[in-house]
Amino acid sequence: MAAHAPGAGSGSGCSGAGRDTPSAPGAAMADGPVADVLLRRLEAADGGLDSAELAAELGVEHQAVVGAVKSLQALGEIIEAELRSTKRWELTAEGEEIAREGSHEARVFRSVPPEGLAQSELMRLPSGKVGFSKAMSNKWIRVDKSAADGPRVFRVVDSMEDDVQRRLQLVRGGQAEKLAEKERSELRKRKLLTEVTLKTYWVSKGSAFSTSVSKQEAELSPEMISSGSWRDRPFKPYNFSARGVLPDSGHLHPLLKVRTQFRQIFLEMGFTEMPTDNFIESSFWNFDALFQPQQHPARDQHDTFFLQDPAEALQLPMDYVHRVKRTHSQGGYGSQGYKYTWKLDEARKNLLRTHTTAASARALYRLARKKPFTPIKYFSIDRVFRNETLDATHLAEFHQIEGVVADHGLTLGHLMGVLREFFTKLGITQLRFKPAYNPYTEPSMEVFSYHQGLKKWVEVGNSGLFRPEMLLPMGLPENVSVIAWGLSLERQREPPVPRP
Amino acid sequence: MPTVSVKRDLLFKALGRTYTDEEFDELCFEFGLELDEITSEKEIISKEQGDKKAEGASDVVLYKIDVPANRYDLLCLEGLVRGLQVFKERIKAPLYKRVMPNGEIQKLIITEETAKIRPYAVAAVLRNIKFTKDRYDSFIELQEKLHQNICRKRALVAIGAHDLDSLSGPFTFTAKRPSDIKFKPLSKTKEYTACELMNIYKTDNHLKHYLHIIENKPLYPVIYDSNGVVLSMPPIINGNHSKITLNTRNVFIECTGTDFTKAKIVLDIIVTMFSEYCENQFTVEAAEVVFPNGKSYTFPELAYRKEMVRADLINKKVGIRETPENLAKLLTRMCLKSEVIGDGNQIEIEIPPTRADIIHACDIVEDAAIAYGYNNIQMTLPKTYTIANQFPLNKLTELLRHDMAAAGFTEALTFALCSQEDIADKLGVDISATKAVHISNPKTAEFQVARTTLLPGLLKTIAANRKMPLPLKLFEISDIVVKDSSRGPAFFPGRCAEVFARGQSIGKLGVLHPDVITKFELTMPCSSLEINIEPFL
């Protein structure tokens, strides 16, 4: 995707004393004709000279003289230059037009003949809208609303004085000082006048003044190297206070750079990436498979985006679905269950996944079907969706980071150990754990880290052991524990560069 | 997560000691609660409506405490105090008892008309209770918290509490035509029919949210006493006649709903919490509920269940090495009275009626871990050995992103959801040709469909950055969603091409049609390339 500029080049103009850059073309003029003329004039001058006046005399852009002044300044004490700013009133484009052709209100007045003019017609004139209201408030014209073919405009006076035009003409003639402060500010408010500041230099001889300045080199060239002439040539010093030129380059998105860092951390820790390339998920995988009951508030229309089309997931692994149904409604696998009427229709409802744990459930189900069981470490970082109205602290789409380890005999202590390693890689070393509730993990822990800036503990993630009611219906062996944790990518900053 | 608001001084008085804010915060953290905010009624009003309105409001310090969503037993001051006192071993968990009345048992008869709208009901009596202003407020607040959480905004269960002495049983829970129901509801001075009430409550900020539960049903649920007095029209409003006051001594509680299990849990929670203030503490008088099939049940259930868990299972799941005796002690501190039995490795745990959240051994394991202290558990690394793999699609994406940026393009991250207009009208394509996935319940028009192309997101990004110097060169590599293959956007005639790789079409490139550009409020020419990278995996 690319939006193109008309033609090439930046086309940005500089005005005033301008800024130069280490190797801007202006610098080449340092030793050019303007600088020579300036030095000769200065030699003859009594005291000094003004850069703007010199430019006018020479018939060159003021910017060219400024360039010469700057390059001479860079040579040391040849000249002295004092920056002066003078203010001047100038007409805007509209002001120029009015000085030439009269104010909008005057033009409106003139276009009203003695027998009057329909207001609708008057409004169609170029000056109509602005001029009408001004002429009305000046009491030059009046509107007769009772006229037969709609409102009609008549003259009130026979003639008038166009003060606006007269004042603008004065300014154009360089006599702005003849206007009262109030008159000038009114014209400025009407955007007819602007005050411009002109920055000029008052140039005088320096302590080391000379008209014969040896030419300084701006760049080291291949010729200088091969001939060795660089040994004898003076080089122009760099202007390190110049702004510099940004290089043309592309950029990676800052948040996705953080995503790359997190992928890297997981890969360093031996975690395999899960497929998450399906924004659309069924309620079954998003909720039911995770032992999240069908009346759970997260399954509310207020929190989750459901689909209208396609509204239902037709393909579900029915054997497994039945085991899930039984676990929810009657229990089993050592569980009391939730004891409610589980509905397949509810499970078929399509939605935009509310968490990547749906993808983890799919991955664990695939793992359970592979015999014999092999331990795994999985991760994913991808987009999830919540039915939120956007504001400064709520997004309807964000990225979730998730890590999962499945093995025989994993403990809460293991989960905390893995979290410690993971967060250490993020530069977070002070952790503590708070008991929490999650529908699909038990035990569950919120992870807090001490925030040096805020001077308090802040929640950085959520974690736990997946419930047996989620794992056993999938077919995972009974003594396999699955530890998992999740955090939000949007809440992370870029991890620090580790020091050796 | 529900938030319970309690008066700090009242809480400390009940806990028998005071805490600094930090100490109490620490205690909450350890127990799995969160001291969310320290405030006062005055501060709350002043924040929401300005200082003027707050004048004269109470500045008694309030603790707002976040409670885990499955711990209904901690939703009021009484429950919080009980939980924390047992946790700190200052008291033993009370034993809740259901007793038969001296006289006749209160009866609630369900008629078959309720079957289609609200088939379940349970009931109980709190005898010789003593309310104070604070206790009364807490009693009302607990019902509200239960309504908002486990009762799913009254859809699954609705609670009614009545002054039993103003009524005369047996009670009848039936369903009638709205026009045939007429009574004086809470805090109104005259009688209204159910139809009138539903109209009046449409503008009631609190009650309007519950109307939809019965609004379009031919029959509304209603409970009468033997004299035809209306106790309540669940799940909307109670009758004014049986309203409880600070002077009420005997409370009849009914819970009606569509979920029998949850109705029983809700009743158990209310009576276990507030029987504390009965003359016979923690004792609840039974009520009988007769179902349409003639079967009758006695409530509240107040059932204690025994679970058996091996000590080594707890140790193995948590990663600790505690003796069975110690584990039993830890569990007892969580209101789960436990003892070691059998071979000395078995722990028998008694699940009280307040702990409906304990449905599996893993819930018991968690409580042992909480009592042990999460932060006392030794951190260890699992020995799980695995070789990492990248998901091929993401691997290719990472490679391409860097090359695109190196080629001078800036990466954009745009929303996957957008308006129908963005993917259809604005691109000069008919919406039916896009094969887009449509969202049924978006809150704004910006989220009507999932994007079928990345182009609108990029064009909107350019439109938002019109002030930046040209050229703007953007890219995005991300997922689109289509039911099956779709048609791309309109290009300028003669200035577009289809891209083929390995013999299949993978996308298009070209100069965008001026109509497309204008519809995204842009004026500069734009060209785009959009391809599917999956064939390169």
Side-chain angles (χ1 to χ4, degrees):
Chain A
M1 162 93 263
H4 315 279
S10 70
S12 69
C14 268
S15 63
R19 58 194 167 100
D20 70 357
T21 49
S23 59
M29 298 177 80
D31 317 291
V34 180
D36 283 347
V37 175
L38 191 146
L39 288 173
R40 269 182 278 114
R41 291 281 177 110
L42 198 55
E43 188 178 28
D46 200 8
L49 52 84
D50 182 79
S51 60
E53 281 169 23
L54 181 64
E57 275 177 49
L58 299 179
V60 299
E61 290 276 317
H62 181 236
Q63 193 55 30
V65 180
V66 171
V69 169
K70 291 215 156 184
S71 55
L72 289 172
Q73 269 183 307
L75 300 179
E77 306 296 315
I78 309 278
I79 59 161
E80 268 173 30
E82 179 195 339
L83 189 61
R84 289 177 175 182
S85 57
T86 45
K87 287 191 176 174
R88 202 152 52 93
W89 289 96
E90 269 181 13
L91 301 192
T92 61
E94 194 185 354
E96 287 285 355
E97 183 197 318
I98 286 172
R100 218 167 43 239
E101 290 169 29
S103 65
H104 297 297
E105 53 269 34
R107 277 185 267 174
V108 162
F109 177 79
R110 282 186 214 116
S111 54
V112 177
E115 69 275 17
L117 181 70
Q119 189 183 2
S120 56
E121 205 173 311
L122 184 140
M123 285 307 191
R124 277 200 294 273
L125 297 174
S127 295
K129 275 186 191 144
V130 197
F132 174 75
S133 54
K134 273 277 168 195
M136 284 291 287
S137 72
N138 287 353
K139 298 205 167 59
W140 293 349
I141 56 169
R142 66 181 171 86
V143 182
D144 181 359
K145 289 199 175 147
S146 60
D149 351 315
R152 207 166 171 82
V153 182
F154 293 96
R155 287 189 180 188
V156 175
V157 292
D158 298 330
S159 67
M160 50 79 210
E161 189 82 14
D162 191 355
D163 285 332
V164 173
Q165 183 181 31
R166 187 179 55 79
R167 286 173 194 147
L168 289 174
Q169 283 170 346
L170 274 176
V171 174
R172 193 168 56 174
Q175 293 178 296
E177 70 279 2
K178 284 197 176 164
L179 298 188
E181 183 61 42
K182 213 176 121 195
E183 290 168 339
R184 278 199 298 257
S185 78
E186 195 209 316
L187 291 173
R188 188 171 60 182
K189 267 186 218 142
R190 287 182 70 176
K191 297 207 166 65
L192 304 176
L193 272 192
T194 56
E195 193 173 24
V196 292
T197 306
L198 183 67
K199 287 189 172 164
T200 61
Y201 284 102
W202 179 255
V203 188
S204 55
K205 289 176 194 163
S207 56
F209 181 78
S210 156
T211 50
S212 59
V213 181
S214 85
K215 186 173 178 260
Q216 288 188 308
E217 300 293 347
E219 302 286 351
L220 182 65
S221 68
E223 291 74 26
M224 293 174 195
I225 295 172
S226 58
S227 69
S229 67
W230 60 270
R231 293 176 204 278
D232 312 318
R233 302 295 308 161
F235 283 83
K236 193 174 140 56
Y238 274 146
N239 174 8
F240 288 108
S241 54
R243 286 248 197 112
V245 182
L246 282 180
D248 283 338
S249 72
H251 302 273
L252 293 172
H253 193 281
L255 190 73
L256 299 182
K257 282 203 231 172
V258 181
R259 181 181 72 180
T260 303
Q261 303 260 23
F262 273 91
R263 283 185 88 237
Q264 206 63 47
I265 289 171
F266 277 115
L267 293 169
E268 285 168 7
M269 290 175 72
F271 282 66
T272 284
E273 195 168 28
M274 290 182 269
T276 47
D277 54 340
N278 58 314
F279 290 167
I280 310 295
E281 191 53 274
S282 62
S283 292
F284 178 77
W285 285 109
N286 197 79
F287 295 123
D288 297 288
L290 300 172
F291 197 52
Q292 203 153 344
Q294 295 191 326
Q295 314 86 346
H296 193 275
R299 303 181 73 152
D300 217 88
Q301 296 273 329
H302 293 293
D303 295 311
T304 300
F305 286 117
F306 287 93
L307 297 195
Q308 185 180 58
D309 177 27
E312 293 204 327
L314 302 175
Q315 291 185 327
L316 293 174
M318 289 317 286
D319 267 11
Y320 171 47
V321 168
H322 285 300
R323 292 196 294 275
V324 169
K325 173 184 176 169
R326 204 175 51 235
T327 316
H328 277 243
S329 54
Q330 302 163 29
Y333 308 104
S335 177
Q336 301 282 312
Y338 291 123
K339 298 185 181 138
Y340 70 99
T341 314
W342 187 92
K343 295 193 180 99
L344 181 61
D345 288 351
E346 197 60 41
R348 283 200 193 278
K349 284 185 183 169
N350 276 329
L351 45 77
L352 283 156
R353 68 170 171 229
T354 63
H355 47 195
T356 48
T357 319
S360 306
R362 283 179 181 270
L364 289 169
Y365 176 68
R366 278 192 300 271
L367 176 71
R369 287 162 63 87
K370 270 203 312 209
K371 311 279 178 191
F373 169 80
T374 40
I376 56 90
K377 291 192 282 200
Y378 286 154
F379 82 96
S380 68
I381 310 170
D382 211 337
R383 212 183 278 243
V384 297
F385 302 82
R386 305 279 164 94
N387 197 355
E388 298 272 7
T389 310
L390 295 190
D391 64 33
T393 55
H394 293 90
L395 283 170
E397 302 180 18
F398 58 96
H399 290 73
Q400 199 180 322
I401 303 168
E402 190 154 325
V404 178
V405 186
D407 201 352
H408 296 280
L410 292 177
T411 68
L412 208 50
H414 285 135
L415 172 59
M416 292 161 69
V418 174
L419 285 169
R420 183 186 57 193
E421 296 304 316
F422 178 79
F423 280 101
T424 301
K425 280 179 178 284
L426 290 171
I428 296 172
T429 49
Q430 260 179 296
L431 285 189
R432 69 179 188 154
F433 302 91
K434 173 177 161 293
Y437 169 67
N438 261 320
Y440 43 87
T441 57
E442 190 83 6
S444 309
M445 305 193 302
E446 277 170 7
V447 190
F448 281 70
S449 89
Y450 191 75
H451 194 291
Q452 297 292 349
L454 298 173
K455 297 261 174 271
K456 65 172 188 177
W457 292 90
V458 292
E459 194 198 325
V460 289
N462 217 328
S463 68
L465 268 69
F466 280 134
R467 292 190 72 98
E469 292 101 322
M470 166 183 163
L471 302 177
L472 298 178
M474 288 177 172
L476 283 167
E478 213 167 319
N479 52 0
V480 165
S481 296
V482 182
I483 60 179
W485 74 99
L487 46 161
S488 145
L489 182 64
E490 273 75 359
R491 284 179 66 174
Q492 311 303 318
R493 62 191 170 84
E494 213 163 328
V497 179
R499 275 171 219 170
Chain B
M1 201 185 282
T3 304
V4 181
S5 181
V6 295
K7 290 180 179 168
R8 182 193 62 187
D9 296 348
L10 213 58
L11 176 72
F12 288 173
K13 198 177 150 207
L15 288 172
R17 59 159 288 188
T18 59
Y19 292 82
T20 64
D21 292 343
E22 290 73 27
E23 283 167 350
F24 191 72
D25 182 56
E26 199 60 37
L27 174 63
C28 283
F29 194 95
E30 192 188 353
F31 192 56
L33 303 169
E34 200 169 331
L35 179 55
D36 186 49
E37 204 187 345
I38 302 164
T39 180
S40 70
E41 218 165 281
K42 193 172 190 171
E43 209 179 309
I44 296 169
I45 299 176
S46 135
K47 229 187 243 171
E48 285 167 4
Q49 308 170 35
D51 290 343
K52 258 226 175 110
K53 288 262 164 104
E55 262 173 50
S58 156
D59 42 22
V60 169
V61 178
L62 295 180
Y63 275 179
K64 292 200 155 187
I65 301 170
D66 281 349
V67 174
N70 62 342
R71 292 296 300 270
Y72 317 119
D73 59 320
L74 302 176
L75 286 177
C76 59
L77 177 103
E78 290 73 15
L80 278 170
V81 168
R82 225 174 282 165
L84 289 171
Q85 293 293 72
V86 173
F87 183 59
K88 285 286 160 195
E89 295 177 287
R90 290 195 202 105
I91 60 165
K92 281 192 174 152
L95 182 69
Y96 306 103
K97 269 194 302 226
R98 182 177 79 187
V99 294
M100 286 299 160
N102 292 328
E104 207 165 319
I105 191 166
Q106 295 296 337
K107 254 191 199 173
L108 176 63
I109 298 148
I110 308 179
T111 72
E112 60 191 14
E113 288 84 1
T114 59
K116 278 195 175 145
I117 174 143
R118 220 170 170 79
Y120 303 108
V122 293
V125 175
L126 289 175
R127 198 53 87 173
N128 294 320
I129 196 167
K130 213 168 185 175
F131 280 122
T132 62
K133 179 77 172 70
D134 285 319
R135 292 173 183 182
Y136 180 88
D137 290 347
S138 177
F139 184 62
I140 303 295
E141 195 52 34
L142 172 64
Q143 292 176 48
E144 179 58 20
K145 291 281 178 249
L146 291 167
H147 276 152
Q148 290 310 314
N149 293 284
I150 179 174
C151 304
R152 298 294 297 118
K153 300 191 172 125
R154 304 192 188 178
L156 302 182
V157 185
I159 310 157
H162 311 276
D163 189 333
L164 182 58
D165 298 329
S166 73
L167 299 165
S168 137
F171 307 101
T172 308
F173 176 34
T174 184
K176 283 187 155 187
R177 288 217 309 264
S179 52
D180 295 344
I181 302 172
K182 194 168 186 188
F183 66 105
K184 196 204 288 182
L186 268 186
S187 61
K188 294 275 180 203
T189 49
K190 57 173 264 211
E191 291 198 342
Y192 296 92
T193 66
C195 305
E196 290 168 332
L197 281 178
M198 295 297 271
N199 255 324
I200 292 169
Y201 293 145
K202 277 203 172 87
T203 54
D204 184 303
N205 276 337
H206 179 57
L207 295 177
K208 68 179 178 194
H209 304 290
Y210 310 121
L211 305 183
H212 72 97
I213 303 172
I214 58 169
E215 206 167 25
N216 298 316
K217 303 283 161 90
L219 303 179
Y220 287 4
V222 59
I223 304 176
Y224 293 100
D225 84 344
S226 63
N227 297 324
V229 172
V230 170
L231 276 72
S232 64
M233 183 176 81
I236 311 296
I237 190 90
N238 288 350
N240 197 56
H241 179 89
S242 55
K243 180 181 175 176
I244 59 164
T245 67
L246 293 186
N247 298 320
T248 299
R249 294 301 312 273
N250 298 301
V251 183
F252 178 70
I253 299 161
E254 38 87 4
C255 301
T256 60
T258 54
D259 186 318
F260 195 29
T261 311
K262 290 206 163 65
K264 289 189 282 189
I265 293 173
V266 167
L267 184 65
D268 276 352
I269 292 291
I270 294 180
V271 298
T272 51
M273 293 300 118
F274 281 86
S275 55
E276 182 175 344
Y277 302 131
C278 290
E279 208 170 79
N280 289 325
Q281 265 200 330
F282 306 118
T283 299
V284 185
E285 183 180 307
E288 187 183 329
V289 177
V290 185
F291 279 73
N293 61 7
K295 282 196 180 161
S296 94
Y297 299 86
T298 312
F299 297 107
E301 281 194 341
L302 292 184
Y304 281 81
R305 184 175 94 238
K306 292 260 160 79
E307 291 281 353
M308 219 76 84
V309 178
R310 292 188 68 80
D312 53 8
L313 177 101
I314 298 177
N315 278 328
K316 257 170 68 183
K317 288 286 175 191
V318 181
I320 51 177
R321 277 190 212 142
E322 288 294 296
T323 62
E325 286 73 20
N326 272 347
L327 291 174
K329 249 187 231 158
L330 291 174
L331 288 169
T332 305
R333 283 175 51 206
M334 300 302 288
C335 292
L336 303 175
K337 213 176 105 199
S338 304
E339 56 182 332
V340 182
I341 56 153
D343 61 359
N345 196 8
Q346 284 281 12
I347 302 175
E348 188 185 66
I349 302 122
E350 189 180 63
I351 316 295
T354 45
R355 293 299 305 276
D357 60 297
I358 307 277
I359 57 173
H360 192 279
C362 67
D363 299 303
I364 295 167
V365 170
E366 178 178 81
D367 272 20
I370 293 173
Y372 182 85
Y374 274 11
N375 295 293
N376 299 326
I377 299 168
Q378 181 75 40
M379 298 188 203
T380 44
L381 273 181
K383 295 194 164 59
T384 313
Y385 182 81
T386 51
I387 303 286
N389 279 308
Q390 303 185 53
F391 183 51
L393 179 64
N394 293 357
K395 186 176 180 177
L396 179 60
T397 301
E398 283 290 300
L399 293 170
L400 281 174
R401 289 172 64 226
H402 285 92
D403 282 345
M404 287 300 291
F409 286 76
T410 291
E411 186 172 33
L413 174 62
T414 69
F415 289 135
L417 304 181
C418 55
S419 69
Q420 289 192 21
E421 211 191 351
D422 286 337
I423 55 163
D425 304 9
K426 285 186 181 175
L427 296 181
V429 183
D430 191 77
I431 186 72
S432 58
T434 59
K435 310 276 184 197
V437 159
H438 291 255
I439 292 160
S440 68
N441 58 332
K443 284 188 182 144
T444 68
E446 288 303 292
F447 303 132
Q448 291 171 324
V449 289
R451 65 184 172 201
T452 53
T453 151
L454 296 175
L455 188 62
L458 292 185
L459 287 172
K460 285 196 273 185
T461 307
I462 292 187
N465 287 284
R466 267 177 300 211
K467 287 190 180 147
M468 300 300 285
L470 294 173
L472 288 168
K473 292 160 46 173
L474 300 183
F475 79 99
E476 180 167 15
I477 308 178
S478 187
D479 297 14
I480 56 153
V481 183
V482 278
K483 286 195 286 181
D484 47 52
S485 67
S486 70
R487 272 195 43 211
F491 287 100
F492 197 59
R495 289 279 183 282
C496 70
E498 198 164 352
V499 184
F500 283 79
R502 298 175 186 172
Q504 68 178 106
S505 167
I506 58 163
K508 280 184 179 173
L509 87 167
V511 175
L512 293 180
H513 198 282
D515 286 346
V516 174
I517 293 165
T518 317
K519 280 177 184 154
F520 280 92
E521 289 160 32
L522 293 171
T523 50
M524 66 288 259
C526 293
S527 57
S528 81
L529 161 73
E530 186 164 8
I531 56 164
N532 176 12
I533 62 169
E534 284 180 354
F536 299 101
L537 294 178

